[in-house]
Amino acid sequence: RHRYQIKAPAVTGHPLFERAYRIQMNTLEWAVMTLPCLWIFAAYVSDFYAMLLGLLWLVGRILYAIGYHRDPPLRARGFVIAAAAFGALGLGGGVGVIMTILGGSA
């Protein structure tokens, strides 16, 4: 806000501030969904693979942030990487829970 002279509570103004704000908000939105999937995957499938997928998600978010800040269309690669990691965590965690309920192991 200080760098671009955007006074609270405004969230619009300088284009680079708006990009940084969207990067932050999008990451928070995805974190709210990803963290529970990460924890469920770690508890019901594998904490090691949860860690690897969590790192992959984090790398994707970093690439997303760098790409979005440079030029918004460049965010796609990081978004796809993070979304794939999220999908693997969600699907894998879901399978792990179902297998546990049914008496098997994932």
Side-chain angles (χ1 to χ4, degrees):
R1 291 182 180 274
H2 179 71
R3 177 183 292 169
Y4 302 113
Q5 284 105 35
I6 308 295
K7 297 196 185 320
V11 293
T12 59
H14 195 282
L16 290 178
F17 172 79
E18 291 181 21
R19 287 182 197 173
Y21 182 76
R22 280 306 313 145
I23 291 165
Q24 176 189 8
M25 296 313 295
N26 189 270
T27 300
L28 287 173
E29 292 161 3
W30 276 86
V32 167
M33 299 182 300
T34 302
L35 289 174
C37 291
L38 179 76
W39 298 328
I40 291 168
F41 190 100
Y44 288 94
V45 180
S46 165
D47 55 354
F48 177 75
Y49 288 111
M51 180 262 310
L52 291 179
L53 288 168
L55 285 174
L56 184 64
W57 182 82
L58 187 59
V59 167
R61 293 310 305 177
I62 291 168
L63 292 173
Y64 171 88
I66 292 169
Y68 201 156
H69 187 71
R70 288 184 181 159
D71 186 26
L74 297 177
R75 72 188 190 270
R77 178 178 51 156
F79 180 85
V80 169
I81 292 169
F86 166 74
L89 287 167
L91 290 173
V95 168
V97 168
I98 290 169
M99 294 298 291
T100 300
I101 289 171
L102 296 177
S105 61

